[in-house]
Amino acid sequence: MRCLAVCQTELVGRLLHAVLSPRFEVEFLVEKKELARRLHDAGANAVHAADPKRVDTYVKADLLPTTSVIIEDAGQRNLPKVLEAVRDAGGVLVYLLGTSFEDDKRAAALRADFPELTNVTLAELVAPHLATELNRSLTRQRVQQYQRYFSDADRVLILTHHDPDPDAIASGLALRTVLRRNKQTAIIGTMQPVTRPENQRMLKLLDIHVETVTPEQLGSFEKVALVDVQPHYFGEHLRHVDLVVDHHPETTGWTAMFKDIRSDYGSTSTILTEHLRAVDLDISERTATAMLYAIKSDTLFFNRQANRADLDAFSYLYPLADAGLIRKMEGAEITRERLDYVIKAWQQGRLVEHVFCAFLGEPPRDDFIPYVADFYLQLEDVQWTVVSGVVNDQMVVSVRNLGYSRNAGDFVRRWFNDIGSAGGHRTMAKAVVPLEAFQTKFGVHEGNRINQRMLDLVLDFLHELNGKKTPKDA
């Protein structure tokens, strides 16, 4: 797109050049030759000195209806004549960049005479770019601090949650890059190995090694960093943590030397993409592929808990990644075992008031439970899914919703936080509680009664409004 900037001051000219030149073809029109020379010396190549009040000035500048004209409003009296000249020369896309402190009466008068005019403030022009740079500077400082802190450690453990998912695996790989270490000096570890087929396939295709560590081995590492998880998850096993990077809501009762927790982000890989960019580190194709897959997986391709930062990270990583490998990793999603539990959920589950609720009995792995919850959220008329099962004498509950109703994290915390671990975001949440504690609290033991009780709990939660019961909505 071509832009013509009509400037009165060097400051605004330089600012427009910095903001617009990377994306647009920008030409400058100024009244004084001295200003034209200074802008040219500052890097603006196409600068013309001419009278902005004359129609032929814009004709000579080859002004077209598709040319965006940005006119600096520095409080000059002849501004209406400049606007008339632009209009008479065929200018249609006209933007007035306000830099003066005049009241709104002048702007209103100009809009009355020139209805095609769009007002833009200097703050609107600068704010997004300034905020981005300030955030990047803050991230750079934080990263450099923990880089120095970890630099003298012989052995570093980058610890994930049990049975790590793509976001945890990719975040471990990314953090190792940030720390400028290799797999000998910084291992990616977990206390329970990777079991899900697509995650195993990810490790194989990208040649990533995740070691299984025991609680007794934790003391052999000089520094410990957590990714995609927080210290409370490990209970008494983890007594000291040096760094925590996570996108889940922050919990209490723990301390760390450094932490970067952003619960509004869709993935931990997004946070670590910003860490890598802040200190200008190269991202290998393998790491970029892992992180891109993680962002796509954790946000359900931006259908769940994603923000602008996730989109920016995805856009940045996409040209660096191997799209073919990502397609291969995604191909492992559907297995015969999982399909068996999808069918079982349909046969034994219930769909009431847009809520699909199913109890899966005792699946061999806990990943079957969130998989079924995600699967049935795609079903027509389903707005919430609550899927549960028993794994190793633990009641596991996965909750999903479309995001425009009540908070899934609040639901699991409401009913299960007092008897086990419960938490999550607005659109996805999880609870893990001892089966005996669940049975004692809710007084149910059989599968069909467990499912009915879970359905009652979520319906009661959805019907609450300011502490009062409301009629059940269809």
Side-chain angles (χ1 to χ4, degrees):
M1 179 186 292
R2 181 169 174 261
C3 295
L4 179 63
V6 183
C7 298
Q8 303 292 322
T9 61
E10 182 179 357
L11 174 62
V12 170
R14 283 174 173 264
L15 180 62
L16 288 172
H17 173 66
V19 172
L20 300 176
S21 293
R23 298 179 58 191
F24 302 100
E25 178 188 345
V26 186
E27 295 182 20
F28 291 88
L29 175 63
V30 299
E31 196 164 5
K32 298 179 181 179
K33 292 183 179 180
E34 177 62 22
L35 177 55
R37 183 186 63 78
R38 291 199 299 270
L39 289 178
H40 186 272
D41 291 344
N45 294 322
V47 186
H48 310 287
D51 187 351
K53 301 184 296 298
R54 294 175 59 89
V55 175
D56 61 345
T57 295
Y58 302 99
V59 175
K60 291 177 181 178
D62 196 24
L63 179 65
L64 299 174
T66 55
T67 304
S68 295
V69 184
I70 303 173
I71 302 173
E72 177 186 353
D73 177 10
Q76 65 270 36
R77 293 182 178 180
N78 61 9
L79 181 59
K81 292 183 179 181
V82 174
L83 293 170
E84 287 176 5
V86 171
R87 182 172 60 187
D88 293 345
V92 176
L93 305 174
V94 186
Y95 301 84
L96 190 62
L97 179 61
T99 61
S100 66
F101 294 95
E102 299 288 337
D103 59 23
D104 293 336
K105 292 182 179 180
R106 183 165 183 266
L110 288 170
R111 282 197 299 272
D113 293 333
F114 303 95
E116 72 278 13
L117 200 61
T118 299
N119 289 92
V120 181
T121 66
L122 195 60
E124 290 172 327
L125 186 68
V126 175
H129 306 276
L130 182 59
T132 298
E133 186 54 40
L134 289 175
N135 285 331
R136 189 174 185 185
S137 298
L138 181 63
T139 300
R140 182 185 302 114
Q141 182 186 43
R142 178 182 293 156
V143 172
Q144 289 173 340
Q145 286 176 340
Y146 76 69
Q147 280 178 324
R148 288 192 293 268
Y149 179 79
F150 277 80
S151 63
D152 61 350
D154 288 334
R155 297 188 75 221
V156 171
L157 172 64
I158 301 173
L159 186 62
T160 76
H161 51 75
H162 304 334
D163 197 1
D165 61 1
D167 192 31
I169 296 167
S171 297
L173 198 61
L175 181 58
R176 190 158 67 192
T177 301
V178 175
L179 296 176
R180 299 188 179 94
R181 289 178 173 265
N182 54 39
K183 60 184 178 182
Q184 282 75 39
T185 61
I187 73 164
I188 302 171
T190 178
M191 291 188 185
Q192 293 183 14
V194 178
T195 61
R196 302 185 186 187
E198 68 273 18
N199 299 345
Q200 292 176 334
R201 190 173 178 86
M202 174 186 181
L203 295 180
K204 181 179 179 181
L205 289 172
L206 295 177
D207 191 25
I208 302 171
H209 183 57
V210 177
E211 293 190 20
T212 302
V213 296
T214 65
E216 293 74 25
Q217 291 175 307
L218 296 178
S220 65
F221 295 93
E222 292 183 52
K223 298 287 193 298
V224 177
L226 302 187
V227 290
D228 203 38
V229 69
Q230 295 173 39
H232 78 287
Y233 180 86
F234 300 98
E236 296 298 321
H237 294 313
L238 198 60
R239 299 184 180 276
H240 175 75
V241 175
D242 299 285
L243 170 67
V244 178
V245 184
D246 189 25
H247 76 110
H248 298 99
E250 185 169 358
T251 57
T252 58
W254 58 270
T255 59
M257 291 295 297
F258 303 94
K259 66 179 180 180
D260 191 351
I261 298 176
R262 311 184 194 186
S263 59
D264 58 328
Y265 279 38
S267 76
T268 304
S269 290
T270 297
I271 303 172
L272 281 156
T273 301
E274 294 188 1
H275 285 205
L276 287 162
R277 297 181 68 182
V279 290
D280 299 316
L281 284 172
D282 292 333
I283 304 177
S284 68
E285 182 179 79
R286 179 176 69 154
T287 302
T289 301
M291 297 174 78
L292 191 73
Y293 177 55
I295 294 171
K296 187 176 180 181
S297 174
D298 244 36
T299 64
L300 290 182
F301 211 174
F302 304 105
N303 286 313
R304 176 179 71 193
Q305 190 66 31
N307 65 12
R308 179 71 190 183
D310 298 296
L311 289 168
D312 288 343
F314 188 91
S315 300
Y316 181 79
L317 294 168
Y318 187 81
L320 305 176
D322 186 330
L325 280 179
I326 291 176
R327 286 193 293 272
K328 286 186 178 181
M329 288 185 281
E330 291 175 329
E333 280 284 347
I334 300 176
T335 65
R336 293 176 63 181
E337 281 185 304
R338 286 181 169 179
L339 190 57
D340 286 341
Y341 279 90
V342 168
I343 295 171
K344 181 176 183 178
W346 181 249
Q347 292 172 337
Q348 300 182 9
R350 294 190 61 195
L351 176 57
V352 179
E353 298 182 33
H354 308 300
V355 176
F356 179 78
C357 192
F359 176 70
L360 302 183
E362 298 186 19
R365 300 193 312 271
D366 64 355
D367 66 279
F368 290 92
I369 298 167
Y371 181 85
V372 172
D374 286 330
F375 182 91
Y376 279 102
L377 191 62
Q378 304 173 74
L379 193 66
E380 185 180 11
D381 292 333
V382 172
Q383 297 174 6
W384 277 67
T385 58
V386 181
V387 180
S388 57
V390 179
V391 181
N392 297 325
D393 294 323
Q394 299 286 312
M395 183 73 172
V396 180
V397 182
S398 285
V399 183
R400 302 289 187 264
N401 68 49
L402 296 179
Y404 49 77
S405 56
R406 300 197 62 185
N407 190 302
D410 288 346
F411 167 72
V412 296
R413 283 187 288 269
R414 164 78 61 82
W415 296 114
F416 307 113
N417 208 37
D418 60 331
I419 57 174
S421 173
H425 297 288
R426 181 176 189 85
T427 59
M428 60 182 297
K430 180 180 181 179
V432 180
V433 302
L435 177 60
E436 185 177 352
F438 177 89
Q439 293 172 335
T440 300
K441 179 174 180 177
F442 297 106
V444 291
H445 296 77
E446 297 83 7
N448 59 342
R449 293 193 62 200
I450 290 175
N451 193 47
Q452 182 61 50
R453 191 72 177 102
M454 293 299 303
L455 181 61
D456 291 341
L457 293 178
V458 71
L459 290 177
D460 286 346
F461 175 77
L462 292 175
H463 298 152
E464 288 176 355
L465 180 62
N466 297 325
K468 298 179 179 179
K469 299 288 184 179
T470 62
K472 295 186 176 181
D473 300 321

